Amino acid sequence: MYRRDRSVQLGGSSSALYNNLSVLRLPQRQLACFCAVHGPAVNVLSAANDGLAGSQRQLRAPPAAPAAAAAAVTQAAWCVLPARVLLVLTSQKGVQMYESDGSVMVYWHALDITEQPPAQAVFARGIAAAGERFICVGTSSGMVLVFDIPHKGTNVTVSEVLEEHHHAITDIAAELGQAPEGAGDLVTADDAGALCIWSSGEEFTLLNKIPALGCTCSSVKLWNGVVAAGYGNGQIRLYEAATGVLRAEVNAHARWIYALDLAPLTGKLLSGAEDSFVHVWKLSRNPDTDDVEIEHCHAECVTDTQICGARFCDPEGCSFAVTGYDLSEIFRYSQV
Amino acid sequence: MSGRALPLLFLNLGGEMLYILDQRLRAQSIPGEKARKVMNDIITTMFNKKFMEELFKPQELYSKKALRTVYDRLAHASIMRLNQASMDKLYDLMTMAFKYQVLLCPRPKDILLVTFNHLDAIKDFIRDSPGILNQVDETFRQLIEVYGGLSAGEFQLIRQTLLLFFQDMHIRVSIFLKDKVQNSNGRFVLPISGPVPWGTEVPGLIRMYNRNGDEVKRTEFTTDGNYITPQREGSFDLYGDRVLKLGTNMYSVSRQVETHMSGSSKNLASHAKENVAPNPLAKEELNFLARLLGGLDIKKPGGSETGFRLNLFTTDEEEEQAALTRPEELSYKVVNIEATQDPGLRAELARIAGELEVAEPSPASSGKGEDLLALMDGL
């Protein structure tokens, strides 16, 4: 169903971090931009449809002192808002926002280190654009920072801090399709496996909380009111966002899931895990029973690789890209 | 990222070092008395109370360079000497072995079982010395106390921190290549068969539920993977069957410990960047070293003890050759304390280093004036 295309070469290998690949499509320019985290740096590059890499750039987290050890970056992702696209980096130090090509830093938010007890790791992680003008970023303490993004310029402000989680945030996702009534438009996930469903706005409202089941939720997606969550025990679970009810359970992977992605025009779901497998699934709603259905479409084994990032490269899910720990290339696949 | 990765890194690397030294001591037919003394001295130094206290303090992982310096001192905690080439090879083997173990751990929490495997083996090395045994048991208890209650997510953060430390290391190890756990390009083989981790289901089943929570549909999918349910979970107690084999001793007298230096390959490019850095360690790393090395209570060997040199290679010529041909980008550049900028810190480190200096057996002195190599040949 999918065949391997030419790989895109990265400036450095990818680190073992959740959701370690972000893709930005520039269809009018026949280009796709990719970014992946490599230790203290982020490799940002553009590639044409045939995989030939164009420009490359490396971004870093700011160190506190010039001679201090470089801070580790935890995630890098593009946030697409109606007015602008920003490239957001989260690290042990805080949150950086760049123009989409990584050329100029627009905003820097330092995490308040003194608040944390020293034994706990401090970092930001989990990035999503929400509600047409916000960017939400999670932290290791469980807080979610909501940034209000101006149409242009650098006047970003912290609009709100959401405090519902008690464990480090792992991932945040905004509604990719059409949310049914009461289903909210944002989901946040944490290290313990708890999920919170929110309605974004001037003030964010908590609509639902799905309690932790003792297993980390490392990646989460929201589509047409269905939450797709990937867990450390290799399971994918689908929940109804409006009610929090479990609608499907998939024994998907033999190891920790590191990445999920969803193609909004078709409902295709992509999952990548430490077990070397990438799976493509299809989500749908039975119009009569209103049941949520999920079927397996395709399995791809990336030999001897622990997957750390997986993204569809187009909104139909006709092609996808994958990164792996210690791998200096991005594997690409497209539908035959 | 995680402030709790260092004790696990140090203890597991230390465990691998002891496996390798034990194998070499036997392969080189070092007399039992001397061999036991070396192992006892190193283990005593490793599990020194003050040292362990420093180690267990929450802190970031430091660079390979800094850590290598600690093992350099540790390996010389007794009457044994190692040339630079042998020390380099020892460190290569230690790090690749632990990288393999971290990568292949079924669950992040299993890193603790790997650590316990190493400690169980260390306790066996010193089973005739109750004093040191107590020290090791103390550390064991501390591990259980600190790590016993951590969540899976916190263990995964520790694992990710360790994988960051090992990123881009692809040194080929002969024993791994022979056992087909490593490919010729230096990457480890990740099997897609065998038992799934404890707590994970075998992939394949899809269950769908209606609004009331009743199961309404069940389907299955298949892949190339061939997984089975695990039998039982390993023990996290002071004593017990760990079940997991990772972290147990894979060397024996008959299995040689060789490495192949990877030739020029673009994978080394990113590794090269770290070692070419102009400055010596950052101030924080030097502080860390001062604290740790200060805690290493290294005794000078007594007057009657004869030192000897251990060779990680089969012959001295091989060792010389290895020293000459080691690729620049893989050299560890052990910390040059003289290059420290801060004069106060420099003095402090020099003092500690001076205290740790093992007296070099001088060839000119009487009694022990014989060529060390001849001594070993005669054994």
Side-chain angles (χ1 to χ4, degrees):
Chain A
M1 252 197 83
Y2 288 84
R3 57 132 216 273
R4 244 195 88 178
D5 287 339
R6 178 205 240 129
S7 298
V8 176
Q9 296 303 318
L10 277 171
S13 62
S14 300
S15 292
L17 296 163
Y18 305 139
N19 307 301
N20 191 7
L21 176 64
S22 185
V23 178
L24 179 71
R25 225 166 55 111
L26 300 171
Q28 63 278 22
R29 287 167 59 193
Q30 301 268 345
L31 279 183
C33 298
F34 300 87
C35 71
V37 179
H38 167 75
V42 178
N43 290 305
V44 185
L45 57 102
S46 62
N49 287 338
D50 61 358
L52 272 175
S55 57
Q56 285 224 25
R57 177 174 258 136
Q58 246 197 17
L59 303 175
R60 285 178 172 257
V73 176
T74 54
Q75 195 179 358
W78 276 285
C79 289
V80 179
L81 295 164
R84 70 202 293 193
V85 177
L86 291 179
L87 176 57
V88 180
L89 262 65
T90 51
S91 69
Q92 289 177 283
K93 301 289 182 201
V95 185
Q96 291 154 278
M97 299 191 189
Y98 290 83
E99 295 294 358
S100 64
D101 62 356
S103 57
V104 175
M105 183 153 83
V106 166
Y107 177 70
W108 157 242
H109 176 97
L111 283 179
D112 196 349
I113 313 285
T114 54
E115 274 177 359
Q116 314 281 344
Q120 294 288 86
V122 176
F123 53 86
R125 183 177 60 188
I127 302 167
E132 310 234 308
R133 63 176 235 254
F134 300 106
I135 287 179
C136 298
V137 175
T139 67
S140 48
S141 61
M143 293 194 308
V144 176
L145 304 165
V146 180
F147 295 97
D148 196 330
I149 312 293
H151 285 208
K152 50 179 187 258
T154 60
N155 191 20
V156 175
T157 55
V158 177
S159 144
E160 205 178 343
V161 177
L162 310 176
E163 292 183 29
E164 270 304 318
H165 289 274
H166 305 296
H167 297 89
I169 303 294
T170 47
D171 196 17
I172 305 178
E175 170 62 72
L176 292 168
Q178 297 286 346
E181 196 61 46
D185 61 347
L186 189 78
V187 58
T188 52
D190 72 25
D191 240 2
L195 298 167
C196 288
I197 293 123
W198 309 83
S199 170
S200 68
E202 283 288 336
E203 262 184 44
F204 278 54
T205 324
L206 177 71
L207 296 179
N208 242 317
K209 193 162 177 182
I210 296 165
L213 280 168
C215 200
T216 304
C217 173
S218 37
S219 196
V220 76
K221 283 272 157 316
L222 181 59
W223 180 68
N224 292 353
V226 175
V227 174
Y231 291 84
N233 65 355
Q235 271 197 342
I236 294 174
R237 295 194 207 132
L238 303 181
Y239 292 93
E240 197 88 61
T243 58
V245 169
L246 177 70
R247 297 310 296 265
E249 236 176 313
V250 184
N251 295 341
H253 288 275
R255 291 276 192 288
W256 205 284
I257 293 178
Y258 260 60
L260 287 185
D261 198 20
L262 200 138
L265 295 184
T266 53
K268 280 203 187 142
L269 181 72
L270 187 68
S271 65
E274 283 174 1
D275 64 352
S276 305
F277 279 92
V278 180
H279 290 294
V280 181
W281 318 84
K282 183 101 178 351
L283 262 61
S284 58
R285 271 253 196 221
N286 188 311
D288 308 315
T289 62
D290 206 30
D291 281 337
V292 174
E293 308 217 325
I294 177 168
E295 61 171 313
H296 183 255
C297 299
H298 180 77
E300 198 63 53
C301 179
V302 188
T303 315
D304 298 336
T305 304
Q306 298 204 341
I307 313 287
C308 54
R311 294 273 185 183
F312 282 119
C313 295
D314 63 277
E316 285 98 3
C318 296
S319 60
F320 60 89
V322 164
T323 53
Y325 167 67
D326 245 358
L327 218 59
S328 296
E329 52 192 313
I330 300 174
F331 286 134
R332 299 185 322 140
Y333 302 82
S334 59
Q335 214 159 10
V336 293
Chain B
M1 293 177 291
S2 172
R4 296 195 213 268
L6 186 60
L8 298 180
L9 181 63
F10 177 79
L11 289 170
N12 284 291
L13 286 180
E16 286 301 315
M17 182 174 87
L18 290 165
Y19 288 160
I20 298 162
L21 291 179
D22 174 65
Q23 195 270 353
R24 289 313 296 163
L25 288 167
R26 283 185 283 135
Q28 264 181 243
S29 304
I30 303 296
E33 274 294 304
K34 280 194 202 290
R36 259 191 305 283
K37 176 166 173 52
V38 169
M39 297 296 279
N40 279 6
D41 284 349
I42 294 177
I43 294 169
T44 308
T45 311
M46 252 179 89
F47 289 88
N48 171 281
K49 191 174 159 78
K50 196 162 159 247
F51 183 72
M52 278 294 141
E53 256 171 43
E54 281 301 325
L55 199 70
F56 272 80
K57 285 185 183 157
Q59 59 197 306
E60 292 288 317
L61 279 191
Y62 289 99
S63 67
K64 294 184 193 62
K65 226 183 334 186
L67 208 62
R68 160 68 201 271
T69 308
V70 178
Y71 286 107
D72 217 280
R73 293 284 180 233
L74 203 56
H76 291 103
S78 187
I79 55 176
M80 180 186 72
R81 302 284 310 155
L82 285 161
N83 283 347
Q84 170 90 330
S86 279
M87 190 66 219
D88 283 345
K89 179 170 165 181
L90 177 62
Y91 196 69
D92 286 345
L93 289 169
M94 285 158 56
T95 43
M96 288 310 286
F98 190 43
K99 177 175 183 175
Y100 172 68
Q101 289 151 17
V102 172
L103 207 54
L104 261 82
C105 261
R107 298 172 299 178
K109 186 176 180 178
D110 292 336
I111 292 179
L112 202 51
L113 288 176
V114 172
T115 315
F116 289 167
N117 272 335
H118 280 118
L119 288 187
D120 288 341
I122 289 173
K123 282 165 71 171
D124 193 56
F125 282 137
I126 43 133
R127 61 184 174 281
D128 298 325
S129 318
I132 321 170
L133 208 52
N134 264 343
Q135 281 177 261
V136 180
D137 271 340
E138 243 333 287
T139 304
F140 224 119
R141 276 183 218 106
Q142 206 176 359
L143 280 170
I144 294 173
E145 194 188 304
V146 172
Y147 295 94
L150 290 189
S151 68
E154 282 168 297
F155 269 111
Q156 182 63 282
L157 188 69
I158 289 172
R159 182 171 176 275
Q160 290 174 344
T161 308
L162 291 171
L163 287 177
L164 193 59
F165 182 84
F166 292 125
Q167 198 158 344
D168 301 322
M169 289 189 66
H170 300 295
I171 297 164
R172 283 137 49 217
V173 176
S174 177
I175 204 174
F176 287 143
L177 294 170
K178 280 204 192 83
D179 288 350
K180 303 224 186 301
V181 302
Q182 192 180 26
N183 293 322
S184 53
N185 61 5
R187 287 165 194 284
F188 290 117
V189 172
L190 301 183
I192 56 170
S193 59
V196 289
W198 190 262
T200 293
E201 303 278 348
V202 172
L205 186 62
I206 302 175
R207 279 168 290 184
M208 286 165 270
Y209 308 95
N210 65 16
R211 321 189 137 267
N212 303 321
D214 309 313
E215 189 181 303
V216 290
K217 193 170 177 187
R218 190 181 264 234
T219 59
E220 301 228 5
F221 70 94
T222 54
T223 61
D224 289 338
N226 186 10
Y227 297 103
I228 55 175
T229 328
Q231 294 274 356
R232 60 193 190 285
E233 193 184 12
S235 162
F236 287 91
D237 295 327
L238 202 57
Y239 300 96
D241 179 8
R242 311 297 174 196
V243 179
L244 198 63
K245 292 286 161 264
L246 295 170
T248 55
N249 196 344
M250 61 179 160
Y251 303 104
S252 65
V253 184
S254 54
R255 303 194 87 183
Q256 284 305 307
V257 285
E258 295 152 36
T259 55
H260 299 285
M261 288 296 111
S262 299
S264 59
S265 118
K266 54 181 186 274
N267 282 331
L268 293 172
S270 41
H271 199 267
K273 284 193 196 106
E274 196 208 340
N275 283 317
V276 160
N279 278 332
L281 304 174
K283 180 152 189 186
E284 288 149 27
E285 286 188 311
L286 288 168
N287 283 333
F288 154 76
L289 269 184
R291 282 185 291 112
L292 269 194
L293 294 179
L296 274 181
D297 181 25
I298 296 191
K299 305 177 189 9
K300 292 211 174 120
S304 59
E305 293 291 350
T306 319
F308 66 93
R309 190 173 60 81
L310 192 75
N311 188 347
L312 268 271
F313 299 84
T314 346
T315 63
D316 290 332
E317 289 72 37
E318 244 190 77
E319 190 186 44
E320 271 172 47
Q321 194 53 26
L324 292 169
T325 58
R326 188 177 182 88
E328 182 56 33
E329 58 267 26
L330 293 179
S331 83
Y332 287 108
K333 292 190 174 51
V334 178
V335 178
N336 181 356
I337 292 170
E338 305 343 281
T340 314
Q341 297 300 334
D342 182 327
L345 196 52
R346 189 166 62 228
E348 174 70 7
L349 278 173
R351 185 188 65 76
I352 295 170
E355 279 175 5
L356 297 174
E357 259 330 304
V358 177
E360 193 87 56
S362 106
S365 65
S366 62
K368 300 152 190 89
E370 292 146 349
D371 185 9
L372 281 172
L373 295 177
L375 235 159
M376 280 161 60
D377 285 342
L379 295 169

